[in-house]
């Protein structure tokens, strides 16, 4: 597994850690979205799936602690989703869509789970990254 | 049975986390405690809480604690005077504070993101070096400033290497303290 390693890569990281996180990363992503999308009839939901998504930021930070994530943009996206979380239930409640068409209930719950999941995922991820890189002088430092 | 065992293990790991001498180990014990808590939630048929506890308790929080621990260490630099100078006079303190040598030490610790405090102590060099409260002892003699330490940790090794590599450009000589009478 000797691929080309870019020179921005911290070379003193454990190769085992890099391999394991690299292998698990897509499955963590998949699990996060599974938990979010099936939240309304299996265990899980928006918050749980969102925290799994936030752990992706942590996993990336553990193997590649470089402050190149645009936390400002992520924070803005998170605030948009927070607004949508307030707007969507109000709209559904006041328009009475669900009351008239009960077959939309599942779609509504899934939408809410996705909104909450993205909001929690980005929120926790931004919180962790901001904390980890706070007052960071050097570009790379390790735990 | 499994339930009792899990609860007992949680108690053991909680006690270990509190009584451990090494903070980094405490954080690991706390992560294990959290993971056992997640398993307990699963036993009590609350899988949603189990997922959240496993991810947040042993993932995110562990990282936050480790990042906080990273910058919790405070290094103490003691400045001792020599000879007949009044070591605790304001003039002497400001003279040392303005010195390039002390600024180099400060810059190094800022770069490494460690807390640094400088204290002026009215004791001799030998006493200050042997005192475990001080990580680095700076003394001024006729040739300028010298730093002494007994600390063998990587931080001090890096400081020594930095000063040595800069050679004459650094205004500070670095020495490993050797107690008199030995060698």
């Amino acid at each position: 597994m000797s691929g080309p390693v870019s020179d921005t890569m911290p070379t003193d990281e454990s190769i085992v850690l890099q391999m394991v996180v690299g292998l698990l990363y897509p499955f963590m992503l998949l699990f996060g979205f599974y938990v979010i999308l099936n939240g309304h009839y299996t265990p899980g939901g928006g918050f749980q799936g969102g925290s799994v998504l936030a752990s992706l930021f942590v996993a990336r930070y553990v193997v590649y602690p470089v402050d190149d994530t645009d936390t400002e943009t992520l924070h803005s996206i998170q605030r948009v989703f927070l607004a949508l979380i307030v707007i969507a239930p109000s709209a559904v409640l006041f328009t009475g869509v669900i009351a008239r068409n009960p077959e939309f209930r599942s779609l509504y719950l899934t939408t809410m789970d996705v909104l909450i999941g993205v909001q929690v995922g980005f929120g926790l991820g931004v919180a962790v990254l901001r904390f980890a890189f706070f007052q960071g002088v050097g570009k790379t430092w390790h735990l | 049975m499994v339930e009792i065992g899990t609860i007992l293990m949680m108690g053991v790991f909680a006690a270990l986390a509190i009584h451990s001498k090494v903070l980094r180990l405490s954080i690991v014990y706390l992560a294990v405690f959290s993971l056992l808590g997640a398993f307990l939630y699963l036993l009590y048929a609350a899988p949603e809480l189990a997922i959240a506890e496993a991810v947040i308790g042993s993932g995110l929080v562990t990282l936050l604690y480790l990042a906080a621990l990273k910058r919790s260490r405070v290094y103490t630099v003691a400045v001792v005077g020599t000879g007949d100078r009044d070591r605790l006079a304001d003039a002497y303190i400001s003279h040392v504070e303005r010195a390039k040598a002390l600024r180099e030490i400060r810059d190094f610790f800022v770069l490494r993101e460690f807390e640094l405090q400088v204290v002026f102590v009215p004791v001799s060099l030998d006493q200050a070096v042997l005192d475990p409260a001080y990580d680095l002892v700076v003394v001024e003699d006729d040739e300028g400033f010298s730093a002494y330490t007994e600390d063998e940790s990587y931080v001090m090794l890096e400081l020594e290497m930095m000063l040595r590599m800069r050679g004459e450009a650094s205004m500070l000589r670095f020495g490993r303290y050797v107690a008199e009478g030995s060698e």
Side-chain angles (χ1 to χ4, degrees), chain B residues 80-89 91-92 95 121-124 139-142:
Chain B
V80 297
T82 47
D84 51 356
R85 302 190 73 154
D86 187 0
R87 295 160 192 147
L88 299 181
Y92 182 68
H95 157 72
V121 287
V123 298
S124 74
V139 64
E140 186 184 17
D141 49 27
D142 298 328

Side-chain angles (χ1 to χ4, degrees), chain A residues 2-134:
Chain A
S2 60
V5 178
S6 76
D7 48 8
T8 54
M9 196 75 177
T11 49
D12 53 342
E13 286 294 324
S14 155
I15 189 74
V16 176
L17 203 61
Q18 287 178 14
M19 292 297 298
V20 169
V21 171
L23 278 175
L24 285 181
Y25 206 83
F27 293 103
M28 289 162 76
L29 197 64
L30 197 65
F31 180 63
F33 280 115
Y34 172 81
V35 169
I36 290 176
L37 291 177
N38 290 283
H40 53 294
Y41 49 75
T42 59
F47 183 79
Q48 286 78 13
S51 46
V52 172
L53 289 186
S55 73
L56 290 171
F57 289 100
V58 174
R60 184 178 182 277
Y61 169 76
V62 166
V63 293
Y64 187 65
V66 176
D67 188 8
D68 59 353
T69 312
D70 188 1
T71 50
E72 281 301 321
T73 311
L74 292 183
H75 196 185
S76 313
I77 296 172
Q78 182 254 337
R79 272 179 291 197
V80 170
F81 274 84
L82 190 60
L84 286 177
I85 288 170
V86 179
I87 292 168
S90 327
V92 168
L93 191 68
F94 289 121
T95 55
V97 174
I98 301 285
R100 274 181 272 116
N101 321 50
E103 67 272 17
F104 283 158
R105 179 170 293 149
S106 171
L107 180 67
Y108 166 68
L109 287 174
T110 309
T111 311
M112 283 309 293
D113 271 346
V114 169
L115 292 180
I116 294 172
V118 173
Q119 195 264 334
V120 169
F122 282 3
L124 280 178
V126 168
V128 168
L129 287 183
R130 286 254 172 91
F131 187 85
F133 289 118
F134 182 57

Side-chain angles (χ1 to χ4, degrees), chain B residues 13-35:
Chain B
F13 276 103
L16 279 175
I18 293 170
H19 291 292
S20 166
K21 289 273 184 289
V22 186
L23 276 179
R24 192 167 291 223
L25 274 180
S26 293
I27 295 169
V28 174
Y29 293 140
L30 215 56
V32 178
F33 172 83
S34 211
L35 211 58

Side-chain angles (χ1 to χ4, degrees), chain A residues 43-44 47-48 51-52 55 58 61-62 124 128 131-132 134-137 141-143, chain B residues 24 47-49 51-52 55-56 59-60 63-68 70-71 110-111 113:
Chain A
F47 183 79
Q48 286 78 13
S51 46
V52 172
S55 73
V58 174
Y61 169 76
V62 166
L124 280 178
V128 168
F131 187 85
F134 182 57
Q135 287 180 338
V137 178
W141 55 270
H142 313 293
L143 291 178
Chain B
R24 192 167 291 223
E48 292 145 336
L49 283 179
I51 295 172
V55 172
I56 295 174
L60 303 178
L63 185 98
L64 288 186
Y65 277 138
L66 284 174
K70 165 87 177 160
R71 45 179 71 98
V110 166
L111 197 70
E113 299 191 348

Side-chain angles (χ1 to χ4, degrees), chain B residues 115-152:
Chain B
E115 291 280 324
L116 178 71
Q117 61 176 354
V118 180
V119 293
F120 293 79
V121 287
V123 298
S124 74
L125 174 64
D126 293 0
Q127 281 175 302
V129 171
L130 292 177
D131 194 336
Y134 310 130
D135 296 295
L136 189 70
V137 179
V138 173
V139 64
E140 186 184 17
D141 49 27
D142 298 328
E143 299 161 41
F145 288 93
S146 309
Y148 295 94
T149 183
E150 277 197 320
D151 194 350
E152 299 279 1

